[in-house]
Amino acid sequence: MIEAPRAIAAVAPPSLVRFTIATLVTDRQQYDAMTATLRAGGFAGLDCEYLYLDNSAGNGLCATRGLNRLLEEARGDLVILCHQDVRLIRDGRAELEARLGELQRHDPAWALAGNAGGAGVGRLALRITDGHGTDRHVGSLPERVASLDENFIVVRRAARLAFSADLEGFHFYGADICLAADTLGWSSYVIDFHLQHLSKGVKSEAFHACERAFRAKWSRALRPRWIQTTCSLLYLSGSELGRRAGSAGTGLFRRLSRRLPGARGWKREPASSKA
């Protein structure tokens, strides 16, 4: 039996689940305390689901792989990726819904929202209590950022984002998904949603190894390059000078490239003889 084609709506209908709260867990007591504060703050009921991966046995999954797995399973329109040691203080679901509504009106192309991130060279945007200070509010929120701290990130599931498959570890994955969003035309923001993160973070050798891997991956991903399509040859560069130079030389190089020793596919292939 052949199944008939199925028509779908141009815009996906809202899910029955509004929020998915997704966490990698290494300490069940910490996690239970976190979920208790969220439930008390309004993240309860049939339109909220809690997903976790038990990572207590030697951190079997790195952050990128574990969180990608959680994103695969999430049913919520909004997926909250958070650490097991975050706690609500006063702000709860009502405040988060209000802040995200403001963000939607401000920038309908938002995909990621958090409580701490990097807005530019030497500039942070913050709304957090953590080991570095209490009730920290820095920046004009919501403020667009290039990176988000990993303690609390709201992912708009409709953006269909994921973390890089070629990065591992437990650092810089907030910056990684922000860069992925930016390349796909989405934006990332720090919003005025205040909670507590019990950890202040540690810069161990693992941190520096992740930093080196992150720099290498994204330097490679964002490198200037020629892109050959079946219809055109394009030069891509983040530099205005590079784009101008590439544009000026594209016509000549396009013609030459089809005559290079390794070129193929531009001449009509001879018809194969019939047996």
Side-chain angles (χ1 to χ4, degrees), residues 164-200:
S164 289
D166 55 351
L167 288 178
E168 296 185 348
F170 293 87
H171 303 282
F172 292 94
Y173 57 91
D176 175 66
I177 199 170
C178 287
L179 276 169
D182 184 57
T183 60
L184 293 173
W186 299 97
S187 49
S188 308
Y189 285 84
V190 167
I191 57 174
D192 186 4
F193 183 72
H194 182 210
L195 55 69
Q196 182 178 18
H197 183 212
L198 300 182
S199 171
K200 64 184 298 185

Side-chain angles (χ1 to χ4, degrees), residues 5-274:
R6 180 170 61 93
I8 64 170
V11 178
S15 169
L16 296 177
V17 177
R18 175 63 172 165
F19 286 101
T20 296
I21 296 90
T23 313
L24 294 176
V25 175
T26 59
D27 184 324
R28 189 54 192 256
Q29 287 186 329
Q30 284 268 30
Y31 177 70
D32 289 344
M34 181 272 285
T35 59
T37 69
L38 264 68
R39 293 183 192 279
F43 295 94
L46 296 178
D47 68 343
C48 291
E49 67 171 359
Y50 287 79
L51 301 180
Y52 74 94
L53 274 170
D54 186 350
N55 221 22
S56 59
N59 290 337
L61 286 173
C62 69
T64 53
R65 294 180 184 177
L67 294 175
N68 276 340
R69 181 74 186 97
L70 289 165
L71 286 172
E72 288 174 5
E73 289 292 325
R75 294 181 294 146
D77 289 325
L78 299 167
V79 184
I80 298 175
L81 303 177
C82 60
H83 286 184
Q84 63 192 7
D85 62 344
V86 299
R87 306 287 186 266
L88 296 188
I89 303 173
R90 291 179 300 275
D91 290 352
R93 176 172 176 170
E95 288 75 18
L96 183 59
E97 293 270 25
R99 299 294 87 77
L100 293 177
E102 293 170 359
L103 183 56
Q104 178 67 26
R105 293 187 290 274
H106 174 73
D107 182 359
W110 77 273
L112 302 166
N115 60 359
V121 177
R123 294 172 50 238
L124 299 180
L126 304 170
R127 190 68 183 105
I128 191 172
T129 289
D130 62 8
H132 299 284
T134 300
D135 200 11
R136 305 168 76 201
H137 188 154
V138 177
S140 179
L141 308 181
E143 184 164 354
R144 187 165 181 173
V145 292
S147 68
L148 285 169
D149 187 88
E150 295 85 0
N151 80 96
F152 180 87
I153 300 176
V154 181
V155 182
R156 189 174 175 182
R157 192 164 62 93
R160 299 293 187 265
L161 296 176
F163 297 90
S164 289
D166 55 351
L167 288 178
E168 296 185 348
F170 293 87
H171 303 282
F172 292 94
Y173 57 91
D176 175 66
I177 199 170
C178 287
L179 276 169
D182 184 57
T183 60
L184 293 173
W186 299 97
S187 49
S188 308
Y189 285 84
V190 167
I191 57 174
D192 186 4
F193 183 72
H194 182 210
L195 55 69
Q196 182 178 18
H197 183 212
L198 300 182
S199 171
K200 64 184 298 185
V202 177
K203 288 187 177 181
S204 63
E205 174 51 36
F207 173 91
H208 296 295
C210 288
E211 183 179 33
R212 292 190 293 270
F214 174 83
R215 182 186 296 112
K217 181 261 162 65
W218 280 102
S219 294
R220 181 175 66 252
L222 300 176
R223 69 191 183 277
R225 72 194 80 184
W226 288 98
I227 296 291
Q228 178 70 66
T229 76
T230 55
C231 303
S232 186
L233 180 67
L234 308 168
Y235 183 73
L236 304 181
S237 172
S239 157
E240 178 66 24
L241 180 60
R243 287 194 298 273
R244 289 180 180 274
S247 178
T250 294
L252 175 60
F253 188 56
R254 180 186 296 126
R255 292 189 294 273
L256 290 174
S257 68
R258 299 181 184 187
R259 292 169 172 79
L260 293 174
R264 65 178 185 270
W266 301 109
K267 293 182 180 180
R268 180 172 296 179
E269 301 294 334
S272 58
S273 59
K274 295 182 179 180

